[in-house]
């Protein structure tokens, strides 16, 4: 059933964060940041060596939390954008937003933003 009030995410142009360090040591690059209503931002990262099946979920969550706190929030702050929530995704390769790609390893973590910090939320 289609919802009459659908909204396509908007690509947000932010500064290039340069080299990104995450706790796992993975090679991670920022693919894009999308804005949705009510202060939701989707930060989409690419990690070519991502293997969700073999990875430790705690390590992936630690990487996502670091990306939220150390990359996404500073970029949004520099652009004077306020976030209420941030969804951080890691993908083994770029995938168009909203397109199912079961052959590509992907992980998603949601964070509520409070006191300028990323607070993990279970889906």
């Amino acid at each position: 059933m289609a919802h009459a009030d659908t909204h396509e995410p908007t690509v947000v142009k932010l500064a290039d964060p340069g080299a990104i360090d995450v706790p796992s040591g993975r090679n991670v690059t920022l693919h894009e940041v999308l804005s949705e209503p009510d202060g939701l931002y989707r930060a989409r990262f690419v990690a070519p060596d991502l293997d969700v099946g073999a990875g430790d979920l705690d390590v992936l969550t630690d990487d996502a939390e670091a990306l939220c706190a150390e990359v996404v929030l500073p970029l949004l702050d520099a652009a004077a954008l306020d976030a209420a929530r941030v969804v951080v995704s890691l993908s083994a390769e770029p995938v168009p937003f909203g397109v199912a790609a079961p052959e590509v390893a992907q992980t998603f973590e949601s964070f509520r933003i409070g006191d300028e910090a990323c607070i993990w939320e279970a889906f």
Side-chain angles (χ1 to χ4, degrees), residues 16-46:
D16 180 352
I20 298 174
D21 293 323
V22 293
S24 69
R26 278 188 181 86
N27 176 21
V28 176
T29 57
L30 179 62
H31 174 60
E32 66 184 353
V33 176
L34 303 174
S35 172
E36 295 195 39
D38 301 324
L40 170 62
Y41 288 88
R42 295 181 182 276
R44 304 180 69 222
F45 294 88
V46 174

Side-chain angles (χ1 to χ4, degrees), residues 35-95:
S35 172
E36 295 195 39
D38 301 324
L40 170 62
Y41 288 88
R42 295 181 182 276
R44 304 180 69 222
F45 294 88
V46 174
D49 61 345
L50 183 66
D51 182 357
V52 180
D56 178 355
L57 293 180
D58 289 338
V59 171
L60 293 171
T61 299
D62 290 346
D63 283 356
E65 187 170 9
L67 289 166
C68 182
E70 298 169 20
V71 177
V72 179
L73 287 186
L75 288 174
L76 293 174
D77 187 50
L81 299 170
D82 290 323
R85 275 188 346 150
V86 170
V87 175
V88 172
S89 66
L90 286 164
S91 178
E93 61 186 67
V95 174

Side-chain angles (χ1 to χ4, degrees), residues 64-65 68 84-86 88 109-113 118-121:
E65 187 170 9
C68 182
R85 275 188 346 150
V86 170
V88 172
E109 295 291 346
S110 180
F111 299 91
R112 178 175 46 85
I113 307 305
C118 296
I119 303 160
W120 180 76
E121 294 184 317

Side-chain angles (χ1 to χ4, degrees), residues 5-11 34-37 97-98:
D5 192 24
T6 59
H7 171 81
E8 286 295 316
T10 303
V11 175
L34 303 174
S35 172
E36 295 195 39
F97 180 74

